[in-house]
Amino acid sequence: MARVDGERRGWLRGAPPPLWVRALPILLIAGVCAATLASPERLDIGFLLGAIPPLAVLSYGPVATGALGAAVVVMLNVPAFGLDRPGQTDLLTICFVALLSVFVAFVRSRRDVHADMERMVAEAAQRAVVPSVPERVGPVRCAGLYRAAERGTLVGGDFFDVRESAHGVRAVLGDVQGHGLAAIATVASLMGAFREAVLDQPSLEAVAARLDRRLAVDSARVPHAELFATAVLLEFAPDADAVRVVVCGHPPPVLLRDGAATEVPVSPWTPLGLGLPNGPAPAGRALPLRPGDRLFLASDGVWEARDTAGAFYPLTDRLPALTAGTDPADTTARVWADLLRHSPTVRDDVTMLLLAPGRPGR
């Protein structure tokens, strides 16, 4: 399963700085040296060296920053460069800036270590709750993609899973209320309930009811919690010739068949956590499958992505071309790239799950 990484976490948000930023102090030193040596007259450019220690702080630790600061001081005292004349450069000021830059680099390095540790813990928690889907579960090939709305993190409010059971392969994709760390507890609760229900519930509707009850119980423990989630659940027959679909307030899956993409017609149930004790039970729809059929599930982050003019991403129109002749794992990556072209600034969690039923060799 592909997840968010450095491509969405810019260097101003904690990712390693690009090469040109790391090269700036070196290039500035080389430029000043070349200019002073090449000029037949003295150049009053020693003040440029004062920028080298602060620039080093952006990319380097205290040791490297100190070394670059020392190099600046040495350059100011080398007669060949002509930068040592009084009035051209305040040597004490440069020394103070260099020492201050070393201190700032030390503080930044310590903070980066703590920030990286916190990010690793959050990512480990997310992977434990929502692990990558395997390439195949029983007779179903799987491919998933996850992109969190919070830049630079894997933590989000979407979830999906594919599990094998005595009743066939069962899958779920959902979106809980909220984003980031606040959503992890709800996602963990739902995923735990799903994995247990898959094993012992005889029908897909019973699995959905178990998830609904789990959220209702969790919400009752916290005053005014109002926890809810949307979800779509699938159950493939053991021989993968049919699938049952239950939709709980979520966009239905898209059936890819014969070069066309159509939403599976199914009556939606209420979102999970909002089911009334005396209300109607969730109702699913059975759909026969043909060889070559695929099912594409996506979160609201895909369906509701807009371009600069406010137009929604045309998922069903784009899917046939994006899935033609591609492996399931490649399909989700192509949809993600196309989604970014349509909506460069994605503000919601994006989750996709492609399921291709069929026995090995089919």
Side-chain angles (χ1 to χ4, degrees):
M1 176 181 64
R3 292 179 181 266
V4 68
D5 208 338
E7 78 273 8
R8 294 200 62 205
R9 179 164 58 95
W11 68 278
L12 293 179
R13 295 176 178 267
L19 181 60
W20 66 269
V21 175
R22 298 179 61 86
L24 275 179
I26 308 299
L27 293 177
L28 187 54
I29 290 177
V32 171
C33 290
T36 55
L37 293 175
S39 176
E41 300 179 356
R42 290 184 179 272
L43 297 179
D44 191 14
I45 59 174
F47 68 94
L48 294 175
L49 299 177
I52 292 176
L55 287 175
V57 172
L58 297 176
S59 306
Y60 301 99
V63 176
T65 301
L68 289 170
V72 169
V73 174
V74 170
M75 288 180 61
L76 293 174
N77 289 278
V78 174
F81 295 129
L83 301 173
D84 57 342
R85 294 178 60 186
Q88 291 183 322
T89 303
D90 190 338
L91 181 59
L92 293 178
T93 300
I94 297 295
C95 291
F96 174 76
V97 171
L99 291 175
L100 183 61
S101 298
V102 170
F103 174 74
V104 173
F106 174 76
V107 174
R108 183 191 60 80
S109 299
R110 295 295 298 271
R111 292 181 62 130
D112 286 350
V113 169
H114 288 291
D116 289 342
M117 182 62 67
E118 291 176 357
R119 186 178 296 111
M120 290 175 58
V121 171
E123 293 175 355
Q126 183 76 6
R127 288 192 177 99
V129 174
V130 187
S132 301
V133 294
E135 294 184 0
R136 177 178 291 274
V137 178
V140 181
R141 295 184 63 193
C142 312
L145 181 142
Y146 188 98
R147 293 291 187 274
E150 295 192 2
R151 298 178 66 91
T153 180
L154 301 183
V155 179
D158 288 358
F159 61 93
F160 58 79
D161 200 4
V162 183
R163 299 274 165 164
E164 194 166 15
S165 73
H167 308 282
V169 174
R170 290 172 170 176
V172 64
L173 183 144
D175 182 1
V176 308
Q177 175 193 21
H179 302 288
L181 294 173
I184 287 184
T186 306
V187 171
S189 181
L190 278 175
M191 294 304 295
F194 173 76
R195 290 161 184 165
E196 288 294 329
V198 160
L199 299 176
D200 54 31
Q201 293 301 317
S203 68
L204 192 63
E205 289 81 357
V207 175
R210 174 71 66 85
L211 299 183
D212 176 72
R213 186 182 67 179
R214 177 72 271 165
L215 273 191
V217 171
D218 291 348
S219 185
R221 294 176 179 176
V222 181
H224 312 295
E226 298 181 351
L227 299 177
F228 68 90
T230 63
V232 55
L233 296 94
L234 282 73
E235 179 183 271
F236 292 91
D239 54 3
D241 61 351
V243 64
R244 190 165 189 82
V245 182
V246 172
V247 171
C248 303
H250 197 88
V254 177
L255 174 64
L256 298 165
R257 171 183 291 173
D258 298 331
T262 57
E263 295 183 28
V264 176
V266 57
S267 299
W269 195 51
T270 57
L272 301 174
L274 302 181
L276 300 177
N278 299 323
R285 177 185 175 89
L287 178 70
L289 295 175
R290 305 174 188 171
D293 285 353
R294 297 181 180 185
L295 289 161
F296 185 88
L297 290 71
S299 65
D300 292 343
V302 178
W303 289 98
E304 299 179 0
R306 298 172 182 258
D307 62 11
T308 54
F312 289 107
Y313 178 64
L315 178 62
T316 54
D317 295 336
R318 301 282 185 89
L319 271 179
L322 294 172
T323 59
T326 62
D327 187 81
D330 297 329
T331 297
T332 53
R334 293 178 66 177
V335 174
W336 168 246
D338 189 62
L339 179 67
L340 287 182
R341 286 191 291 268
H342 178 85
S343 179
T345 304
V346 179
R347 302 185 181 279
D348 197 3
D349 297 331
V350 169
T351 306
M352 309 175 199
L353 185 61
L354 183 65
L355 303 172
R359 292 290 182 184
R362 285 178 55 182

